[in-house]
Amino acid sequence: MAASKMAGRKSWKRLSDTKIDKVSYRTIITKTFEMPDGEVASFGTICPEGQEFVAAVALTGDNQVIIARQFRVGPEMVMDELPGGYVDEGESVEEAGVRELREETGYRAGNVQYLGKTHKDAYMNAVWHFILATDCVYDPDEAHEREAEEHVETLLISIPELIANAKGDKMTDAVGVMLAYDKLKEIDND
Amino acid sequence: MKKFTRIEPTTQQSFGLQYKKVALIKRFQTEDGKLHEFTTFYKQGDHAAAIIALTTDRKVIITYQFRAGPERWMYDIPGGGVEKGEEPQAGALRELKEETGYEPGHIEFLGTNSRDAYSNGVWYYYFVTDAVPVSEGRSLDEEEQDQGAEVRFISIAEFLEHAKHDRMTDPAAVLMAYDRLKEIERGSK
């Protein structure tokens, strides 16, 4: 059996009968595949295909981490999140990360570098990208004022606090901290 | 920042055909009297547990299977849903044994993680060293068999690379074990 699975590794074939539904405003997609053994199976998956999110591990000039504290409806907890959101059509991942950082926290990014991405879950269609933004400066615009009033509180924490939060279930984007970990350790030790 | 209070009713809807998932519409009220409706995924109180497991020769035990979200073969640390009445650690060990045919060794708790803002349920993570094979081998469920789950033994360096390059569906636990893994990697050279 192992040999036949090995031989068929590339032969998972997506079939055309995709079913797209909405639950309230969220998209769920039932995907159908022809499996290596020729049988057909369908899987429920989450989010529109091709959807992208970005979140920023954002540091001020003196290496404080910029956090967007907000209520999260899955865990039902107030969490210390990385600023972030959707990548809009025609926008690069870096541009979206910089825009979301400014809207959510009022900080303008200095230098930006790409960290990496994750699917978060085996049944997730969307991709989460992460960027590292350094030398960020507080410079709020109107979009930030609307956002702050609604649901986000900006605060600054230390790099060790960020790492402890990521390990201690105080944020949902712990993968972003894993991707930035080597660089954060280096910055923190300087 | 507004304070959210959960209110009823909550609506549950399942989707997918043979391998179903659950969506839960939760309702909240803020102090200003406004009602908010959010769609979340997975059931409340349905927890999962997974293990970063090393063999006696410090190889990471990992599964490799086709995943319907990314639509490609992905690495995954052994784990799955915790059953009703089961302790998370017992669930993690059961999954390790079923999916890979291995048992500890030594086990320690790493921590919990809420992997997404719109997902219910918490993931419990454990770290196992000196894992050894069990005589009866693996026992996969139908979904795992369909996904063609294979067991691989990889170096710590490879494991960290997979986690950083979107080749693993569950990299959140890697941070919790990162320093330990680096330490063990240095010690084994």
Side-chain angles (χ1 to χ4, degrees), chain A residues 2-13 34-37, chain B residues 64-66 71-75 147-150 152:
Chain A
S4 74
K5 293 285 185 193
M6 295 280 278
R9 177 152 319 141
K10 288 184 175 63
S11 69
W12 274 75
K13 206 167 84 193
E34 186 186 312
M35 298 185 291
D37 59 8
Chain B
Y64 189 56
Q65 59 210 301
F66 183 84
E71 289 185 49
R72 51 187 161 85
W73 289 70
M74 302 279 282
Y75 292 96
Q147 292 176 134
E150 295 169 19
R152 299 278 181 93

Side-chain angles (χ1 to χ4, degrees), chain A residues 140-177:
Chain A
D141 56 8
E142 278 173 33
H144 168 61
E145 274 152 32
R146 281 195 302 274
E147 188 96 354
E149 208 172 295
E150 275 301 299
H151 55 257
V152 180
E153 183 188 328
T154 304
L155 68 153
L156 298 178
I157 63 174
S158 68
I159 289 173
E161 282 173 309
L162 174 74
I163 292 168
N165 285 350
K167 290 179 181 176
D169 202 16
K170 303 269 194 318
M171 60 190 290
T172 58
D173 280 331
V175 177
V177 180

